[in-house]
């Protein structure tokens, strides 16, 4: 069976520590660390927009590589989260004092919850 046409753990970046660090652990860790050190909501929004977008692109690329089910769900959650964080952080949308933190938390929560379908249908899909 050709690895490009079906789900393949050999192509899965989540299973490779170096790739997982670059695409998901480092941006998440950096964004969390920077969020603790800054007080500007605009700067925090910019940092989280970059981090969520980076992680979403990593998921999208990983879904194309290995057809990991989690990545098909988490990629749009993370990218939409980045858009929401930008809209809230730069004042385009006002939803209250905790909206920025809630948008970040919701995007991350949905990305984590996107592992649930793998428990039901398995890790890898087919084209």
């Amino acid at each position: 069976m050709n690895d490009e046409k079906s789900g393949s753990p050999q192509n899965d970046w989540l299973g490779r520590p170096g790739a997982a660090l670059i695409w998901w652990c480092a941006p998440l860790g950096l964004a969390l660390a920077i969020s603790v050190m800054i007080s500007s909501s605009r700067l925090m929004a910019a940092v989280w927009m970059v981090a969520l977008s980076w992680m979403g692109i990593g998921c999208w690329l990983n879904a194309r590589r290995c057809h990991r089910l989690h990545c098909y769900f988490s990629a749009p959650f993370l990218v939409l989260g980045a858009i929401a964080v930008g809209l809230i952080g730069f004042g385009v949308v006002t939803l209250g004092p905790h909206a920025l933190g809630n948008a970040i938390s919701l995007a991350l929560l949905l990305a984590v919850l996107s592992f649930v379908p793998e428990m039901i249908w398995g890790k890898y899909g087919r084209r």
Side-chain angles (χ1 to χ4, degrees), residues 80-98:
L80 289 173
I83 293 168
V85 165
L87 292 173
I88 294 166
F90 292 99
V92 177
V93 176
T94 54
L95 299 172
H98 304 290

Side-chain angles (χ1 to χ4, degrees), residues 56-78:
I57 290 167
C59 286
W60 179 74
L61 292 171
N62 198 45
R64 299 232 353 146
R65 287 176 54 87
C66 70
H67 307 287
R68 177 100 188 226
L69 191 57
H70 155 78
C71 291
Y72 282 114
F73 290 105
S74 62
F77 291 153
L78 292 167

Side-chain angles (χ1 to χ4, degrees), residues 6-18:
S6 66
S8 171
Q10 294 86 8
N11 290 334
D12 189 357
W13 283 341
L14 279 171
R16 294 182 180 175

Side-chain angles (χ1 to χ4, degrees), residues 98-124:
H98 304 290
L100 182 59
N102 290 341
I104 293 166
S105 297
L106 181 61
L108 295 174
L109 175 65
L110 289 173
V112 169
L113 288 176
S114 67
F115 282 103
V116 172
E118 290 186 352
M119 295 176 204
I120 299 166
W121 296 302
K123 282 186 181 180
Y124 303 100

Side-chain angles (χ1 to χ4, degrees), residues 29-75:
L30 286 170
L32 286 169
I34 291 170
S35 294
V36 171
M37 294 187 283
I38 60 174
S39 60
S40 166
S41 61
R42 286 182 186 240
L43 184 55
M44 187 164 75
V47 166
W48 277 102
M49 281 176 52
V50 170
L52 292 171
S53 297
W54 182 265
M55 292 186 292
I57 290 167
C59 286
W60 179 74
L61 292 171
N62 198 45
R64 299 232 353 146
R65 287 176 54 87
C66 70
H67 307 287
R68 177 100 188 226
L69 191 57
H70 155 78
C71 291
Y72 282 114
F73 290 105
S74 62

